[in-house]
Amino acid sequence: MSRNHDRIEELLAVRALGGLDGEDVADLDRMLADHGDCEECRALEAASTATASALAMALDPLEVDPAMPERILADHAAEPEVRDDLAARRDREGPRWLAVAAVAAVVVLVAGSLAVIRNGSDDPPSNPAQRLVTFEGSDTATLAMAFVPGQSGVIFWGEGLPDPGQGQTYEIWMIEDDEPISGGCVSPTDGRVAAYVDADVTTAEQMAVTVEPASCPHDAPTGEIVLSATL
Amino acid sequence: VDLTELSEAQDRRLMAALAAGDEDAFRGLFGRYAPTAKALAMRVVRQPHMAEEIVQEAFLSMWRHPDGYDPSRGTVRAWLMGMVHHRAVDTVRREESQRRRADDASAGLRDEVTDHADDVVEHLQRPQEQRAVRAALAEIPPEQREILERMYFDGDSQTTIAEATGLPLGTVKSRTLLGMRKLRASLEGMER
C-alpha cells in the first residue's frame, strides 16, 4: 500500500450506511479525487457497500405489489426517457472515479482558472476551448466554474463563502428546460471550496447554488438560490 | 463455488441481459430483490406507500439506466440496495419523519418483524443469509451496533448521532468503521 487509506475507509464506511454529512462529504470526494484511478479505493468502496447492503438482508422481505414490475415496464414504454444524460448521472450513486487523464486535465483547468479569478484578469484561459464562468448574487463570495464545452468535467472554485450552517451544505444545480439537476454538494473550509464534478454542462442553461440539508444529492432544491450563473 | 458466489454470478448475468433490454431479466432481478428492497425502504421511512414508491423509483432507475451499475464498485445487490437506501434516507430526512418515528426509534430488528407481521412473506431463498447477517450483527459490540443500526435503518447522519448520544463526531466515525469491519469479517467467516 503506497498511500494511507484509513481515513478514506472510515468515511466510505459512514457513507455506505448513509450517515456521511457536513464537511466530510467534500473531504471524501477530494481525497478520492486526489487518489485518482485508485484500485484500493474502489475495493474499499465495494467492501463498504457490500457490507452495508448485507444489513438489508437481515430484514424480513415484504410483499410488493405484484403488478409493479409490469407497471414499470409499461410506464417506461409509454413515456420514453426524455431526460438527458445529466439526469442519468444524477441517478447514479456516489462520486465518479476519475481516470488519471481526467485528473491531469483537472489540474490544468484549476491552474488556469485560479490565475484568472485571483487576478481578476480578462486574459483568456490557457486552454482556448475552456470556458470560465463566474457566479453572481453575493458581494462577498466569489464562485467560478471552468469547463470545456462538450467534455465531461467541471471545476468549481470559490472563496469568501459563508458557513452554510450546522447540518447544511451548498448544492450545485445544473438547470436545463427549467429542470434542476443536482451536480453535487460542496462545503467550504475557511470560506473556500474547490470541487470537481464529473458532468457535462454543455446543454445546461443556468447554474445555481442553494443551501440544502447535508444529505446529498437531492431531487430538487429546497433552499433559496444564493449564487447563480448563466451559461 | 459457494451459494453467495453463484447468486452474484446469476445477478451479473441478469444485469447484463437487462442492460440489453431483456424484460425477463428485469422481472428476474425484481423478483429476487424487490421484497428485500421494500423491507429496507419500509424500515427507514416506516410508511408502506412511501416505501412502495421508493422501490418503484429504484427499479425504474435500474431499468432506465443499467449503465449506472459498475461491477468494479460492487455487486448488483449492493448497487440496488444502495439506490433504495439512498432514496429512503433522502425521503425520511426531507419529510422530517424522524419526528413520527421518535417513539419507536429504539426498536430493534426483531421488533420490526413484529410491527409488520401482516406484511411479512415467506423467506424464499435466503433464510440462511438472513440468519447469518443477524448473527453477525449480534457479534458486534453494542456501542458499535447501535451506530450502524441508527445510520442504516433509521437514516440518522453521523452528526445527528453525535448530537443525540453526546459522543464526539470522531468517535461516531471510528465506531462505524470498527463495526463495519467486524460485520464484514463475521460475514466472510460464515461464508467459508
Side-chain angles (χ1 to χ4, degrees), chain A residues 60-148:
Chain A
D60 286 311
L62 296 180
E63 187 173 20
V64 180
D65 178 0
M68 187 188 290
E70 300 310 318
R71 192 165 61 240
I72 291 173
L73 293 171
D75 286 354
H76 179 65
E79 298 178 27
E81 182 72 76
V82 294
R83 298 180 305 164
D84 63 12
D85 61 345
L86 289 177
R89 277 193 288 278
R90 181 188 62 186
D91 287 340
R92 296 174 193 154
E93 309 299 322
R96 303 288 89 77
W97 296 97
L98 307 183
V100 173
V103 173
V106 165
V107 171
V108 173
L109 282 171
V110 167
S113 302
L114 291 183
V116 172
I117 294 168
R118 281 178 175 152
N119 299 330
S121 167
D122 293 330
D123 293 342
S126 54
N127 178 351
Q130 177 185 329
R131 280 197 65 191
L132 180 64
V133 178
T134 54
F135 285 68
E136 298 176 343
S138 171
D139 294 331
T140 57
T142 299
L143 181 67
M145 57 183 278
F147 64 100
V148 177

Side-chain angles (χ1 to χ4, degrees), chain B residues 48-161:
Chain B
H49 293 300
M50 207 175 278
E52 192 101 351
E53 193 173 307
I54 287 168
V55 172
Q56 179 160 321
E57 284 181 5
F59 277 91
L60 178 61
S61 179
M62 180 181 74
W63 178 239
R64 283 181 165 173
H65 306 297
D67 57 329
Y69 171 61
D70 179 354
S72 72
R73 294 174 63 185
T75 63
V76 174
R77 185 184 79 183
W79 175 64
L80 186 52
M81 291 303 156
M83 284 200 293
V84 171
H85 188 251
H86 178 83
R87 283 169 167 75
V89 169
D90 199 39
T91 298
V92 81
R93 289 179 186 168
R94 193 169 57 235
E95 299 289 326
E96 296 181 349
S97 55
Q98 283 95 338
R99 177 176 46 80
R100 294 193 296 274
R101 303 175 302 127
D103 291 342
D104 55 0
S106 60
L109 292 174
R110 285 174 177 76
D111 295 330
E112 177 67 15
V113 173
T114 305
D115 289 345
H116 303 289
D118 292 342
D119 294 325
V120 171
V121 296
E122 289 292 322
H123 304 175
L124 298 176
Q125 64 265 40
R126 290 191 291 274
Q128 190 174 354
E129 183 170 19
Q130 184 181 57
R131 284 196 298 272
V133 175
R134 289 185 175 187
L137 265 174
E139 289 181 6
I140 298 174
E143 66 274 14
Q144 296 170 15
R145 183 171 63 241
E146 180 193 1
I147 291 175
L148 264 56
E149 291 186 353
R150 288 187 69 150
M151 275 189 193
Y152 195 71
F153 292 124
D154 295 337
D156 288 343
S157 71
Q158 56 182 8
T159 303
T160 300
I161 294 171

